[in-house]
């Protein structure tokens, strides 16, 4: 069975078939998956009915597993290597929409990227569809590399060197959630992240945005917030967005450093169950050397000759 890639969008996202993720992946096959990950930023693997252990084994090929602290302070259904993207309580029953855990999870319907509020941010996430409602509940993804490419040159240079402060307490306050563990301020204090970053693996430069980004360091809060809102609106225009219509057994892998995503609404009386594993990045974007942020012709066009450039 040979691995096969099929683009699902003009700018990013490819479907991967011809590989069985329920058993160990040979190194040469994994190398192809990794190269596709850097090129497309999002890979969709249909028909992969993974157990939790199989999902963890595949996830670890990409780097160190991130473990999820218990942010919302409720009893959890899954072990702490997983983020529970479901509407179930710890005993597997559908949560009351007013339940605090559901209120917390509503934050996932805002455009975000995972763990940008952590000093060691996330490299990638892997989301495995276990139960899917009959309508709604899609996940949308936005390509922040193509959005960056499409910005006017003058705007690009204004953004270089800017640092945004990211905080989970801030993003969850946007949906009215205030039920955090009392120690959240000490365990997850706000962190600085570069607004623009360059990735040598793909040769691409990307915006780094999320609902967790509250303001620009050193700027008046409202001015920074307005810039973040403007860029988020720009980066999530239709031409940069892919919609994943889930089928049970789909596994989607995404690069958190150069994409954003959001869950779409669905009927909360229907079960929606997805299990997420997350891989930590090697370092914070902020602590990388300054020279990493580049805007050479190579980085703008993509050294690997990825798809068409977005319109300028
Ligand atoms: C995620 C996420 C949104 C959704 O898996 O990290 O934010 O509901 N998912 O699909
Ligand atoms: Mn998420």
């Amino acid at each position: 069975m040979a691995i096969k890639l099929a683009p699902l969008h003009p700018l990013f996202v490819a479907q991967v078939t011809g590989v069985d993720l329920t058993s160990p992946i040979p190194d040469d096959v994994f190398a192809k998956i990794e190269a596709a990950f850097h090129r497309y930023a999002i890979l969709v693997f249909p028909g992969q009915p993974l157990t939790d252990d199989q999902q963890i084994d595949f996830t670890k090929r990409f780097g160190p597993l991130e473990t999820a602290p218990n942010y919302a302070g409720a009893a959890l259904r899954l072990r702490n290597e997983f983020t529970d993207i479901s509407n179930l309580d710890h005993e597997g029953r559908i949560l009351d929409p007013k339940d605090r855990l559901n209120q917390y999870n509503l934050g996932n319907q805002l455009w975000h990227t995972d763990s940008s509020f952590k000093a060691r941010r996330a490299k990638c996430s892997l989301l495995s569809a276990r139960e899917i409602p009959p309508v709604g509940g899609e996940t949308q993804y936005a390509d922040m590399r193509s959005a960056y490419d499409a910005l006017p040159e003058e705007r690009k240079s204004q953004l270089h060197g800017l640092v945004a402060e990211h905080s989970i307490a801030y993003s969850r306050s946007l949906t009215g959630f205030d039920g955090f563990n009392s120690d959240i301020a000490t365990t997850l204090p706000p962190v600085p992240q570069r607004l623009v970053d360059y990735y040598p693996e793909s040769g691409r430069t990307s915006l780094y945005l999320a609902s967790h980004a509250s303001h620009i360091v050193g700027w008046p809060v409202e001015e920074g917030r307005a810039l973040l809102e403007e860029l988020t609106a720009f980066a999530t225009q239709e031409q940069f967005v892919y919609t994943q219509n889930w089928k049970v057994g789909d596994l989607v892998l995404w690069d958190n450093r150069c994409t954003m995503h959001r869950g779409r609404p669905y009927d909360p009386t229907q079960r929606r169950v997805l299990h997420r594993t997350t891989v930590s990045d090697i370092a914070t974007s902020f602590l990388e050397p300054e020279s990493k942020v580049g805007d050479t012709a190579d980085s703008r066009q993509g050294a690997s000759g990825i798809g068409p450039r977005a319109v300028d």
Side-chain angles (χ1 to χ4, degrees), residues 91-257:
E91 285 173 338
R93 293 172 302 220
I94 294 187
L95 284 164
D96 185 315
K98 289 197 193 63
D99 189 281
R100 160 179 134 89
L101 198 51
N102 244 3
Q103 293 296 323
Y104 177 82
N105 289 339
L106 264 188
N108 284 333
Q109 296 189 8
L110 301 177
W111 282 110
H112 68 283
T113 194
D114 296 331
S115 300
S116 71
F117 52 85
K118 291 183 180 169
R120 182 168 294 260
R121 65 180 184 177
K123 174 184 174 186
C124 56
S125 294
L126 295 92
L127 191 57
S128 163
R130 310 293 173 95
E131 294 179 63
I132 293 301
V135 280
E138 304 87 355
T139 305
Q140 291 187 310
Y141 296 90
D143 182 359
M144 291 193 285
R145 309 166 310 177
S146 298
Y148 173 81
D149 288 348
L151 285 170
E153 292 305 318
E154 199 190 322
R155 195 57 162 156
K156 286 180 188 166
S157 46
Q158 287 163 350
L159 301 179
H160 282 193
L162 294 184
V163 171
E165 189 173 289
H166 292 238
S167 138
I168 183 75
Y170 171 71
S171 57
R172 286 317 190 247
S173 74
L174 299 174
T175 52
F177 181 81
D178 60 0
F180 276 116
N181 292 342
S182 55
D183 60 352
I184 201 79
T186 41
T187 51
L188 287 168
V191 298
Q193 306 281 7
R194 286 185 195 289
L195 191 59
V196 175
D197 226 337
Y198 170 69
Y199 298 95
E201 306 94 327
S202 61
R204 303 288 299 265
T205 300
S206 181
L207 293 169
Y208 188 65
L209 297 167
S211 56
H212 311 302
S214 74
H215 61 277
I216 301 290
V217 175
W219 283 27
V221 168
E222 290 313 318
E223 220 172 289
R225 204 154 282 172
L227 174 67
L228 293 165
E229 280 167 13
E230 173 209 311
L231 292 173
T232 301
F234 182 83
T236 56
Q237 294 173 91
E238 209 180 302
Q239 69 267 34
F240 303 127
V241 172
Y242 163 77
T243 300
Q244 169 69 13
N245 293 298
W246 293 99
K247 290 200 172 51
V248 171
D250 286 345
L251 178 80
V252 176
L253 160 71
W254 66 87
D255 192 331
N256 280 303
R257 301 162 302 182

Side-chain angles (χ1 to χ4, degrees), residues 37-53:
F37 167 71
H38 291 311
R39 176 167 176 177
Y40 291 99
I42 296 178
L43 299 179
V44 177
F45 300 83
Q48 304 284 351
L50 301 180
T51 63
D52 284 354
D53 285 339

Side-chain angles (χ1 to χ4, degrees), residues 59-78:
T59 301
K60 282 182 173 162
R61 298 294 296 266
F62 294 91
L65 262 191
E66 182 186 286
T67 50
N70 187 347
Y71 304 120
L76 298 182
R77 191 174 67 86
L78 302 177

